[in-house]
Amino acid sequence: MEVINNLQDNLDLIRMEILNDNLVIFPTETVYGLGANALSERAVNKIFEVKTRALNNPLIVHLKDKSEITKYAYISNDVEQKLIDNFMPGPFTLILKKKDIIPSCVSAGLDTVGIRIPIDDIAHEFLEGVGVPIAAPSANISSRPSGTKVLDIKGEFENKVNYIIDGGESKIGLESTVVKVIDNIPTILRPGFITYEDIKSLIGSCNISNHVLNMVKDNEHVESPGILYRHYAPKTKCLLVYSSDLNKLKELINNNKTKKTIILGSNKLNDINCYKYLNYGNTVSQIAHNIFSKLRECDKLNGDLIIIEGVKKEGLGLAIMNRLIRTSNFNYIEL
Ligand code: AMP
Ligand code: MG
């Protein structure tokens, strides 16, 4: 895999790679994407194959600017329009009614499509340069932590993808907020950097899907098929713990008798006796930025268990907890 450091000088190469139905990994402000021409079924199928992604897990379509949206989807009401006006471009995906030009493999047979317009400069240059909409999931093999830096991603896709465009570490580090307007109310299917509070203060109402923090029960209707699958997970077993009371949190951790316990948390926990301690940052933005790469780092330490410090489920903290609950496969204790 070749790392492209200067996109401007290599735009023709990258455009041809995409138009030849091959995959290109590109940076965005959220995480890196594994991109293909969204209008080509052949190219899109390669994403599912290379990522080993379930075929019923739909992909988000990335566009260069807002004027493109109605080429591929219908804006059906004022709430959708307002969300577009305020949160796009940015770390925000809106689920809209799909137009026929988008092949059904992109949306996994649904009549809707997720639309996102990244605000990152290199992502914009890439999307403008290739001239076609780009279907892209996060750049990681399915079930693994999302890719937020070139070194983490390169190993996973070596010999499978020819080019990765280097944009440095992803600024935000967590995937976009996914929203669908249901009965005129924005509903968060996946929390992200654009928060519940942001949407509520703009529209006046906002719902959060039940599945953001809870497991899907048998036969329950699922709005966002992605949540059916194992996600964001290192190979080492994880336990997620949260308490607003530091003493209780430490007690919880100290009660754990696993031999080689790795602690991944803030500097509040740096004095705990354990096999290895890794700091994931001390604010929610730092944690979001670092978390996926730190989980990969933990995996290299040959521990028996990773205990991850949880955060308060508000603001960006909701998105962090949504990811970590899945990282730990719902192995979660809150006191
Ligand atoms: P990823 O591509 O790994 O960032 O995940 C994309 C997320 O967006 C998954 O959770 C999908 O379920 C969700 N998604 C994409 N398209 C749709 C859609 N048309 N309807 C509902 N959820 C969607
Ligand atoms: Mg993903």
Side-chain angles (χ1 to χ4, degrees), residues 273-287:
N273 186 19
C274 62
Y275 168 64
K276 290 259 161 60
Y277 159 81
L278 268 82
N279 182 285
Y280 66 9
N282 299 305
T283 63
V284 279
S285 354
Q286 288 170 357
I287 298 168

Side-chain angles (χ1 to χ4, degrees), residues 45 48 52-59 104-110 112 142 222-231:
N45 284 333
F48 288 96
T52 64
R53 183 175 174 105
L55 293 172
N56 69 347
N57 189 1
L59 303 171
S104 72
C105 57
V106 171
S107 58
L110 298 173
T112 53
S142 280
V222 166
E223 280 290 351
S224 175
I227 51 117
L228 289 169
Y229 300 99
R230 188 91 174 90
H231 245 108

Side-chain angles (χ1 to χ4, degrees), residues 51 53 138 140 146 175 231:
K51 214 182 131 103
R53 183 175 174 105
S138 51
N140 53 275
S146 307
E175 306 82 351
H231 245 108

Side-chain angles (χ1 to χ4, degrees), residues 262-270 277-282 287 307-310:
I262 301 162
I263 305 235
L264 179 59
S266 68
N267 57 14
K268 283 190 286 191
L269 298 180
N270 65 4
Y277 159 81
L278 268 82
N279 182 285
Y280 66 9
N282 299 305
I287 298 168
I307 297 190
I308 313 170
E309 179 189 345

Side-chain angles (χ1 to χ4, degrees), residues 214-225:
N214 300 307
M215 210 183 292
V216 179
K217 298 196 194 94
D218 284 350
N219 301 324
E220 217 176 357
H221 173 70
V222 166
E223 280 290 351
S224 175

